[in-house]
Amino acid sequence: MTLIETVAEMERRLGAGDWQAGAAFFTPDVRYRVGARPPVIGVDGIRGYMEHQAQSVRWVGHTLCWQIEEDETALIEVISHFERVGDGARIDLPCTDIYRFRNGKIHDWRVYADLAVIEAG
């Protein structure tokens, strides 16, 4: 599997709520950072962040804009699609993710997006 295929499969597993299978895609000390927020560490940190975010918005997928991989890094640009929990409003958020791998597993995941549009709701 290529790095980009690995990321797609990880997203599929996490999107389905299969955290046990999803955990296999990460190193135990994976670092996850979204925007300017402090990073979280480990799969439990990622899960906690995503579950907290799901109280405000529900991720409904994304539109791929661009992707590339080189050495142990994959960069993926998307428009992420969310639905605000409070009123069902659709939010389209430009986003670039950088995934750094170590020994075939994601050990650093950075999400570059302007979260103000999500947090404003």
Side-chain angles (χ1 to χ4, degrees):
M1 226 182 328
T2 67
L3 300 181
I4 289 172
E5 290 169 340
T6 299
V7 169
E9 183 62 17
M10 174 273 296
E11 287 181 339
R12 188 181 74 72
R13 300 288 178 103
L14 296 189
D18 189 351
W19 285 92
Q20 185 172 358
F25 292 89
F26 301 101
T27 62
D29 61 341
V30 61
R31 177 183 159 119
Y32 178 66
R33 184 169 188 172
V34 179
R37 292 179 172 272
V40 297
I41 306 299
V43 173
D44 287 339
I46 295 170
R47 183 178 188 168
Y49 177 89
M50 291 183 176
E51 288 177 349
H52 175 76
Q53 177 179 279
Q55 295 173 12
S56 302
V57 293
R58 184 173 66 86
W59 183 71
V60 294
H62 60 245
T63 302
L64 178 65
C65 300
W66 178 82
Q67 59 188 3
I68 190 170
E69 62 181 70
E70 184 174 314
D71 298 323
E72 291 295 303
T73 304
L75 286 84
I76 303 174
E77 178 188 1
V78 299
I79 305 295
S80 285
H81 307 295
F82 294 92
E83 194 173 88
R84 196 166 34 232
V85 171
D87 61 5
R90 182 179 169 119
I91 299 169
D92 296 323
L93 183 66
C95 183
T96 300
D97 289 22
I98 300 174
Y99 301 88
R100 290 186 174 92
F101 286 73
R102 181 188 318 135
N103 298 323
K105 296 186 181 229
I106 300 165
H107 82 95
D108 187 68
W109 178 6
R110 298 177 189 212
V111 179
Y112 292 93
D114 180 0
L115 299 179
V117 68
I118 288 178
E119 295 169 349

